[in-house]
Amino acid sequence: MTNNTKLSPRYAAREHLPKWLLDQAAAATELLAASPYITEDRLFARCEPSVAHLYTAFNALNFISGASRLGVLKNLLTAGVKLYHVDSLHAKVVLVDGQHFSLGSQNLTVRGRRINKEASFVSGDESPSEEIRDFFDFIKKSARLITIEDILKMEELIEPWMPKFRKVERGAREIDQEIEKTRLEREEAEQHLKEEESKIRFKKAKEELAKKIQGRMEKERRERMLNALDLFEKVFDQPSNRPVSSLLAKVKTLKNPPKNFFSSTTYTQSLVPVDRDHNFGQLLRSIGVHPKPYFRYLIFNRDTGKLGFVRYAKTQWTFFANGVSPRDLLPVGSHRWKVEIKFDWVRNKDTPSNGTVHLHLAPRWGSEPIHIFSIRFTLSVDGVFLDEPNITEAGILDFVDDYTLDLPEIKMALNNYLPSRITTPFKFEHNKHGKQASDFFDYDSPKTYRIQAHRFGKSAIFSARLYPPAKQKPTLPLALLDLR
């Protein structure tokens, strides 16, 4: 708190002795100062030396260590300042004319004035200085006068110890530096540990977030597939105003005689129209699709939910396959892949998908194709949806080391390849996937079915249902209605 009124009290907390107190000391009639250490005479330089009294600690260790300087004491004593030694002195006090004082932590040293972080309480006009005067009266009782002989004798006795102390001081400084170095290394290690822990926490949080996102994406994908399958059956319920929108067909077992002495009689089950005036070609043309004999077409058994391929002919269907192997190879990068497309006639409980693509690496030197892995897919009216590739399936351990497996590139190629191969009629490689009609229709004795043709993209898909309809639709695991 400060006030410019001359006769009012002034108090201030300052780091060092202010110029105001030095000005007061210059005109002092009595100057009392207490400081255990002294290395400069700045306070006494402007006052009359005979009015100044300095109380200090006249100890050898202070002078050997440099905390106090005998040269300064000698100059003050020669100038006329009275010097006193006080045992165990620790106070730092200046009192001018019994009224103005400074009380704090600052010694009368260069270090105390320039380097150390000090604080002094300074009081001005009409200050309560009685306690300060009482303090000096107290230390006077035990004070001992310092003479020039004391100073000269001290100089003589401490001279041999000065180099030793400087050596100890250097050692102490090195210890301090080593302690500081250790502290910095410890803090650096702690900071590094905190950074690593932060990275681990961040990585863990990132992984948890990725799992949540992956789970949400998987849930959305599953819902999308289930919705797609739900829509898939609705394509067969669309009314048609074509002249011929359906026909009745029944299963006929054909006896094929031996081709030669070494072969045996074979039996082939075909689906043929009941009314010979209508055929499957007319059924396709009625929905605006030009028929392609001996090509594979998609067929859906509405009673069981089975999807498959049938070899189409004008008056009969044969080889009801759950899968096909197109003749062409799928090019991906520098490799060629043999593709096998199969529908699941036994539902997989873990996924709503209804088919699987098996990829075989085409051989380089005429050997058998190498099965690498499989990818599940969902066929619906909205298109073909691929699952994530599963490279842990059987066959991956046989993968040759010099091949590279670029899953995103393969998946992208399949996204372009599958829709055209599944929904477009095509010639198949051979009959290795061909099955009898009894396998596709699940019957013990031949029955009659209502066959319909439906637009599916630019082509067609056939549907088959028992005729007359069963009283209650079978609830088989694969039935698409069960997937809702």
Side-chain angles (χ1 to χ4, degrees):
M1 177 178 178
T2 59
N3 193 315
N4 292 327
T5 303
K6 184 176 181 181
L7 298 179
S8 64
R10 300 197 305 170
Y11 308 97
R14 303 172 184 268
E15 291 188 358
H16 307 296
L17 293 177
K19 182 177 181 301
W20 168 80
L21 188 62
L22 296 177
D23 292 340
Q24 296 294 328
T29 57
E30 181 184 49
L31 174 63
L32 303 179
S35 177
Y37 313 117
I38 180 167
T39 61
E40 65 175 8
D41 58 0
R42 185 166 176 263
L43 177 65
F44 307 97
R46 297 167 61 186
C47 72
E48 174 62 36
S50 60
V51 302
H53 301 262
L54 172 62
Y55 298 86
T56 187
F58 192 75
N59 297 324
L61 184 59
N62 293 349
F63 303 117
I64 294 174
S65 64
S68 287
R69 294 179 182 176
L70 282 172
V72 173
L73 294 182
K74 185 188 294 184
N75 293 337
L76 291 176
L77 188 61
T78 303
V81 176
K82 295 179 178 59
L83 304 179
Y84 302 91
H85 164 72
V86 179
D87 287 332
S88 304
L89 180 65
H90 195 64
K92 294 87 175 174
V93 187
V94 175
L95 179 63
V96 178
D97 291 336
Q99 183 177 5
H100 314 299
F101 68 86
S102 169
L103 176 65
S105 64
Q106 181 187 352
N107 287 287
L108 300 178
T109 60
V110 177
R111 188 176 184 87
R113 180 167 57 88
R114 294 182 178 179
I115 301 175
N116 293 345
K117 297 178 177 61
E118 309 284 1
S120 297
F121 181 82
V122 179
S123 174
D125 301 330
E126 298 183 2
S127 59
S129 55
E130 292 84 0
E131 290 81 358
I132 305 299
R133 290 195 295 270
D134 291 343
F135 169 75
F136 278 102
D137 291 340
F138 169 72
I139 62 175
K140 281 181 183 179
K141 296 176 182 178
S142 60
R144 175 177 60 81
L145 192 65
I146 302 173
T147 64
I148 189 66
E149 289 80 12
D150 294 330
I151 295 176
L152 295 175
K153 187 63 175 179
M154 181 68 76
E155 286 181 333
E156 177 186 351
L157 294 176
I158 67 173
E159 182 63 28
W161 292 93
M162 297 293 288
K164 297 179 181 180
F165 181 83
R166 283 192 288 270
K167 183 177 180 180
V168 172
E169 189 177 32
R170 284 194 301 271
R173 193 175 297 113
E174 290 174 0
I175 292 173
D176 290 339
Q177 292 173 353
E178 184 65 25
I179 294 296
E180 180 66 12
K181 179 182 177 182
T182 303
R183 183 188 66 81
L184 292 175
E185 290 175 350
R186 183 177 67 254
E187 289 182 353
E188 183 179 355
E190 291 174 352
Q191 181 64 26
H192 178 71
L193 181 60
K194 289 180 180 179
E195 291 175 357
E196 291 299 317
E197 291 176 348
S198 178
K199 289 179 181 178
I200 293 174
R201 287 195 299 270
F202 176 76
K203 183 179 179 181
K204 186 177 180 181
K206 186 177 179 181
E207 290 175 351
E208 291 177 353
L209 179 61
K211 287 181 180 178
K212 290 181 180 178
I213 294 175
Q214 182 64 29
R216 187 162 59 248
M217 291 176 62
E218 178 64 23
K219 182 180 179 181
E220 292 174 354
R221 183 194 65 81
R222 184 179 179 88
E223 290 177 352
R224 185 176 67 248
M225 287 186 171
L226 288 173
N227 291 335
L229 287 170
D230 185 45
L231 290 172
F232 187 59
E233 183 165 335
K234 293 180 180 179
V235 72
F236 306 110
D237 294 324
Q238 295 174 357
S240 175
N241 56 6
R242 299 293 181 180
V244 180
S245 61
S246 67
L247 59 79
L248 296 180
K250 63 181 179 180
V251 177
K252 181 179 180 180
T253 301
L254 303 177
K255 182 179 180 181
N256 303 313
K259 293 181 180 181
N260 52 53
F261 177 78
F262 298 99
S263 61
S264 60
T265 301
T266 59
Y267 296 88
T268 303
Q269 295 175 347
S270 298
L271 195 68
V272 297
V274 173
D275 183 357
R276 292 305 182 113
D277 292 334
H278 297 96
N279 56 51
F280 298 119
Q282 292 173 327
L283 193 60
L284 283 175
R285 281 190 289 269
S286 71
I287 62 170
V289 174
H290 181 72
K292 294 183 179 181
Y294 304 107
F295 273 53
R296 292 269 188 183
Y297 280 84
L298 277 171
I299 184 170
F300 177 56
N301 187 341
R302 299 189 67 180
D303 293 318
T304 63
K306 285 183 179 179
L307 269 165
F309 299 95
V310 64
R311 189 176 72 164
Y312 163 84
K314 183 177 180 180
T315 59
Q316 67 175 2
W317 285 349
T318 56
F319 298 115
F320 297 81
N322 67 328
V324 290
S325 294
R327 287 180 176 179
D328 58 341
L329 299 178
L330 173 64
V332 182
S334 59
H335 306 305
R336 299 294 181 269
W337 296 86
K338 187 66 179 174
V339 180
E340 185 180 11
I341 306 168
K342 298 188 72 174
F343 288 110
D344 299 324
W345 285 4
V346 177
R347 181 186 175 191
N348 189 322
K349 297 180 180 180
D350 298 328
T351 174
S353 54
N354 54 12
T356 306
V357 178
H358 301 284
L359 290 181
H360 307 268
L361 192 62
R364 292 183 176 180
W365 301 286
S367 60
E368 289 295 323
I370 305 171
H371 174 247
I372 301 302
F373 63 95
S374 303
I375 304 177
R376 296 190 61 79
F377 68 89
T378 299
L379 173 64
S380 78
V381 291
D382 294 332
V384 180
F385 301 96
L386 281 175
D387 262 357
E388 290 301 318
N390 181 7
I391 63 173
T392 61
E393 298 215 0
I396 190 61
L397 296 179
D398 299 328
F399 190 59
V400 184
D401 292 337
D402 59 346
Y403 290 117
T404 56
L405 191 63
D406 192 338
L407 295 181
E409 187 177 5
I410 292 174
K411 187 174 180 182
M412 184 182 300
L414 281 175
N415 278 327
N416 297 325
Y417 178 87
L418 277 182
S420 62
R421 291 303 180 277
I422 294 178
T423 62
T424 304
F426 59 91
K427 286 187 176 181
F428 51 91
E429 183 182 21
H430 48 70
N431 288 334
K432 73 175 185 178
H433 294 291
K435 296 182 181 295
Q436 299 289 12
S438 58
D439 295 323
F440 182 73
F441 291 107
D442 290 339
Y443 66 83
D444 298 327
S445 60
K447 293 180 175 64
T448 302
Y449 299 90
R450 180 177 294 279
I451 309 300
Q452 288 183 291
H454 313 267
R455 291 290 301 186
F456 192 63
K458 295 181 180 180
S459 182
I461 182 172
F462 292 103
S463 67
R465 174 168 282 178
L466 190 65
Y467 182 84
K471 292 182 180 180
Q472 183 176 359
K473 186 174 180 179
T475 56
L476 298 180
L478 187 64
L480 290 182
L481 290 177
D482 293 343
L483 295 178
R484 295 180 182 177

